[in-house]
Amino acid sequence: MARQLTYLKAVGEALEQEMRRDPRVLVFGEDNIGGTGCEGRLGNAWGPTQGLHEKFPDQVLDTPITEAAFVGAAVGAAATGLRPVTDLLFIDFAGVCFDQILNQAAKLRYMVGGKASVPLVLRAMWGTGLRRGAQHSQALHSVFTHIPGLKVVAPASAADAKGLMIAAIRDDDPVVFFEHKMLYFVPGEVPEEPYEIPLGQARVVRPGDDCTVVAVGRMVQYALTAAEELANSGLSCEVIDPRTLSPLDEDTILGSVERTGHLVVVDESNPRCGFAADIAALAADRVFGSLRGPVRTVTAPHAPPPFSPVLENAYTPSVEQIVSAVRSTRREPALASDSAAHR
Amino acid sequence: MTSPPSTKSSHEPSIAEVYRVLRTIREFEERVHEEFPKGEIPGAVHLYAGQEAVAAGVCAQLRPDDYIASTHRGHGHAIAKGCDITAMMLELYGKAGGLCGGKGGSMHIADFDRGMLGANGVAAGGVPLALGAALSAKVRGSGQVAVAFVGDGGVNQGAFAESLTLAAVWRLPVVFVVEDNGYAQATGTAFHLGGMDVAARATAQGIPARVVDGYDVFAVRAAAADAVRRARDGHGPALLECRAQRFFGHMEGWDQQAYRGAGEVDRIRAEHDCIQLFLDRVTAEQQLDAAQIAAIDASVRQDVERAVAAARSAPDPDVDSLLTDVYVNY
């Protein structure tokens, strides 16, 4: 049987292989080593950097809680010859260092007329599921996708997490790398050797003919579950994981819509100016003539993520919503048997 | 991280070279002040005249491959770090051939070939970048040092406070140079710094810090020599708080400096002109004579004249360049 690795370990393996390949790759953030300045032993990182300090003591650094300083330092280091991978922990914490992302990392290359580049990776956890409330559960990828100069990656599987991380590290532009917290412990088949998954290449996760379903991150699995159910009632969905939101593989998405004539976009981020609305607009603009039904979006509501499990479950897009969105664009009535259990 | 090798500054500029830098900044800024109302220079321009001794004194202690991260008031730093003033002037005018191809302008002027990591449109926005350059130098063991220029207004930003912490914890070869010109736009330091020295904030974090007379290029140079040597020798960050007021307002074409005391600027120009103070000293000590000074003055005037003429007649950027340089590859 091919080797299985969790999503979290797959990210860690990418960091390890890239640090070994290239001494310019430097990994830092809060508790990326863990135990620094403590009486006990070093190496208490719980995330993907676990175990890396022991192997690369000069390439893994701990930071104080100084996001503006260390994310900015990553920008400065990237512009002067290193390839830093820095860790925000939760994407929500971008709030305390947004200037360094928005105005420094994203803008530097353009402002200096191309005479510098910023090859950095900004890692962050995202999404609902851990009952962490409004400041640790957001899906902010649409915000970063809106900013020219940044690339945005959101892997949905362990294999993609590794290949996209390697590509992100080797990329010469700043990449915001969204790691879904509910996928961390999901295993998948991951090749041992280093490999790159090119940024800007979507994956057709499940081929189908009746409706295109574009889904991001954790929602890819939800879309697959919905597709299974719909298959039972004779509807064949094509599930597409864009994998990188910027650059976006427009051709794969639009080509699929041209074939199926129907589009549902599933995304955890909020609806206004969000990723789902953007894909819907793209289809309306570019392949309107192929559409045989309204484009449907399934997103979180326009509210902050709540804490209570009951509320958080209701907030997160569900398989049931995806199923009814597909039926709705196909103008087919909902079935009583449709996945109420998944809610 | 490996410790950088101990290296001395390989090139200490002569007194004549220091004077040329001072005079070039002054001439450049006075000339931009004259040209700005004519309407050919777009956007926001913040002039450095009056504060020249800080940039000239600090950069005199730097190697060509050392780094500086600058502020929105960045022309002086760029000139002192060796940027070409014609290319700078073209950039101010937003022309093709400008230092950043017309995409940066005065507020984002940069020259990576000279270690000038950029002026910055955000107060204290460049400070963490200098930390990154210092980290990069430390990892590469190159012996390079990074200087983070920041204004008295910028030090109230979280990014500055966080940078003091991170630089101390990581023992980075970085020198913070606080340029206290008395005003955050039109708000005085008596209010916005609460009358406290910024140096005390650094000292409280274990970073050696000094308050320096920013009108005295020799004092700045001596303080910078210690701080830069310390950083280069692997002993970590230091901070200089240099006090020197600007001659002009916060921004050209905008403020009438009504917030400044009656006669304040005239008094500074008469009593605290860093260039006059410099000349008084070097002529008294016979380090430069009148003929040498006149020759530098004439040559600088000619350089600036040429820069303005070139900028005014240069073509605009090709509109196709609008979409280049966003990504290395996309």
Side-chain angles (χ1 to χ4, degrees):
Chain A
M1 187 178 131
R3 188 185 64 143
Q4 299 276 310
L5 219 54
T6 62
Y7 183 101
L8 184 148
K9 294 278 184 204
V11 173
E13 185 167 272
L15 297 176
E16 172 169 355
Q17 290 177 343
E18 285 303 286
M19 277 194 283
R20 182 168 296 121
R21 184 186 66 82
D22 185 350
R24 296 172 305 167
V25 176
L26 216 64
V27 169
F28 53 82
E30 289 151 31
D31 280 343
N32 270 13
I33 299 172
T36 305
C38 302
E39 267 192 41
R41 64 172 183 83
L42 279 183
N44 292 276
W46 74 269
T49 60
Q50 192 175 55
L52 296 181
H53 160 72
E54 290 80 348
K55 293 170 185 161
F56 306 96
D58 293 335
Q59 284 168 270
V60 184
L61 310 177
D62 267 344
T63 64
I65 301 177
T66 52
E67 283 85 353
F70 74 71
V71 172
V75 179
T80 56
L82 298 186
R83 304 187 83 84
V85 180
T86 190
D87 181 5
L88 263 188
L89 296 181
F90 293 87
I91 193 62
D92 314 70
F93 301 167
V96 295
C97 57
F98 202 45
D99 173 61
Q100 292 298 328
I101 305 167
L102 164 72
N103 287 318
Q104 314 299 336
K107 303 293 192 291
L108 187 66
R109 178 170 178 75
Y110 194 74
M111 290 192 306
V112 303
K115 288 179 185 158
S117 56
V118 185
L120 78 81
V121 180
L122 184 64
R123 295 182 40 236
M125 279 184 281
W126 68 288
T128 54
L130 281 186
R131 319 320 192 183
R132 296 296 174 92
Q135 296 172 343
H136 291 69
S137 307
Q138 293 172 87
L140 295 175
H141 45 273
S142 297
V143 173
F144 297 90
T145 305
H146 187 70
I147 300 169
L150 299 177
K151 294 180 178 177
V152 179
V153 178
S157 74
D160 281 356
K162 177 173 172 180
L164 288 167
M165 176 55 83
I166 289 177
I169 291 171
R170 295 179 187 178
D171 197 276
D172 288 328
D173 291 308
V175 179
V176 189
F177 197 90
F178 283 80
E179 299 169 10
H180 201 292
K181 53 177 80 84
M182 297 309 285
L183 297 177
Y184 263 163
F185 300 102
V186 177
E189 200 176 297
V190 179
E192 287 187 40
E193 74 282 1
Y195 57 93
E196 278 186 74
I197 292 173
L199 305 188
Q201 210 171 84
R203 178 169 66 115
V204 178
V205 188
R206 174 191 172 113
D209 303 318
D210 300 329
C211 181
T212 301
V213 180
V214 175
V216 178
R218 185 190 185 195
M219 290 298 121
V220 172
Q221 189 53 51
Y222 282 39
L224 284 173
T225 307
E228 290 286 327
E229 253 173 62
L230 288 158
N232 292 337
S233 54
L235 271 179
S236 151
C237 290
E238 177 145 294
V239 177
I240 296 176
D241 172 7
R243 300 197 286 199
T244 66
L245 313 186
S246 178
L248 180 70
D249 183 352
E250 298 179 7
D251 292 347
T252 297
I253 295 169
L254 297 177
S256 173
V257 174
E258 282 180 309
R259 257 188 329 97
T260 65
H262 296 275
L263 174 63
V264 170
V265 191
V266 190
D267 181 36
E268 275 191 67
S269 63
N270 303 112
R272 297 282 86 80
C273 289
F275 180 74
D278 183 63
I279 301 301
L282 190 69
D285 187 35
R286 301 267 295 279
V287 293
F288 184 77
S290 303
L291 289 170
R292 297 197 295 276
V295 176
R296 294 293 184 216
T297 61
V298 181
T299 68
H302 210 63
F307 163 67
S308 154
V310 168
L311 295 179
E312 197 191 46
N313 290 354
Y315 179 88
T316 307
S318 66
V319 171
E320 182 189 29
Q321 285 172 295
I322 301 169
V323 167
S324 43
V326 171
R327 290 204 184 286
S328 160
T329 176
R330 297 279 310 178
R331 297 192 174 89
E332 295 190 14
L335 298 181
S337 61
D338 280 348
S339 75
H342 289 280
R343 190 63 197 240
Chain B
M1 286 187 278
T2 47
S3 289
S6 177
T7 41
K8 293 258 179 298
S9 177
S10 54
H11 172 75
E12 289 251 351
S14 66
I15 285 296
E17 285 168 319
V18 170
Y19 179 57
R20 175 176 272 279
V21 170
L22 290 168
R23 180 55 69 193
T24 303
I25 300 172
R26 176 68 54 85
E27 186 73 23
F28 188 95
E29 298 295 65
E30 297 270 15
R31 184 61 188 269
V32 170
H33 179 72
E34 244 174 70
E35 295 297 323
F36 190 85
K38 297 179 185 170
E40 290 177 56
I41 300 173
V45 171
H46 308 82
L47 298 180
Y48 192 72
Q51 302 176 234
E52 293 91 343
V54 181
V58 169
C59 292
Q61 298 305 318
L62 299 180
R63 301 191 328 210
D65 65 341
D66 284 334
Y67 299 106
I68 64 169
S70 173
T71 69
H72 60 289
R73 199 175 301 288
H75 306 166
H77 308 139
I79 291 169
K81 197 64 177 65
C83 297
D84 178 75
I85 64 163
T86 298
M88 283 180 64
M89 197 67 86
L90 261 67
E91 190 60 34
L92 262 63
Y93 277 76
K95 296 297 184 70
L99 213 40
C100 306
K103 285 176 171 164
S106 164
M107 236 186 322
H108 309 105
I109 204 156
D111 188 352
F112 274 67
D113 293 339
R114 283 170 182 73
M116 164 53 173
L117 306 180
N120 211 297
V122 179
V127 174
L129 304 183
L131 264 61
L135 172 66
S136 167
K138 185 168 178 169
V139 167
R140 288 185 276 110
S142 65
Q144 292 159 289
V145 163
V147 171
F149 288 101
V150 61
D152 56 83
V155 301
N156 285 331
Q157 289 279 7
F160 175 75
E162 292 185 24
S163 293
L164 289 182
T165 303
L166 188 63
V169 168
W170 275 357
R171 241 177 136 71
L172 293 174
V174 65
V175 177
F176 298 94
V177 177
V178 178
E179 298 185 305
D180 177 356
N181 66 17
Y183 301 96
Q185 295 197 140
T187 302
T189 52
F191 169 74
H192 80 71
L193 293 180
M196 300 288 289
D197 290 350
V198 181
R201 300 187 192 178
T203 308
Q205 304 239 34
I207 297 173
R210 273 154 76 170
V211 177
V212 183
D213 176 359
Y215 298 120
D216 180 352
V217 68
F218 296 99
V220 173
R221 198 172 157 171
D226 290 346
V228 169
R229 188 183 316 111
R230 204 175 169 283
R232 217 184 286 291
D233 288 348
H235 302 301
L239 181 143
L240 308 178
E241 181 177 2
C242 302
R243 292 185 179 155
Q245 297 206 6
R246 47 175 152 83
F247 286 176
F248 299 116
H250 166 66
M251 185 167 77
E252 288 309 279
W254 176 73
D255 86 72
Q256 305 305 312
Q257 306 207 65
Y259 49 90
R260 302 182 80 165
E264 179 182 280
V265 174
D266 291 339
R267 196 166 56 248
I268 289 165
R269 278 188 182 264
E271 296 168 19
H272 298 289
D273 177 345
C274 64
I275 297 187
Q276 196 52 54
L277 293 170
F278 170 90
L279 287 174
D280 291 347
R281 174 161 166 181
V282 299
T283 49
E285 292 174 358
Q286 296 181 325
Q287 298 195 68
L288 286 180
D289 63 32
Q292 288 170 301
I293 293 163
I296 291 171
D297 289 350
S299 143
V300 166
R301 244 193 321 274
Q302 210 171 48
D303 289 349
V304 172
E305 182 59 48
R306 226 185 342 250
V308 171
R312 295 185 67 187
S313 63
D316 286 324
D318 190 326
V319 173
D320 289 345
S321 73
L322 174 67
L323 299 182
T324 60
D325 310 319
V326 183
Y327 298 94
V328 177
N329 48 57
Y330 195 119

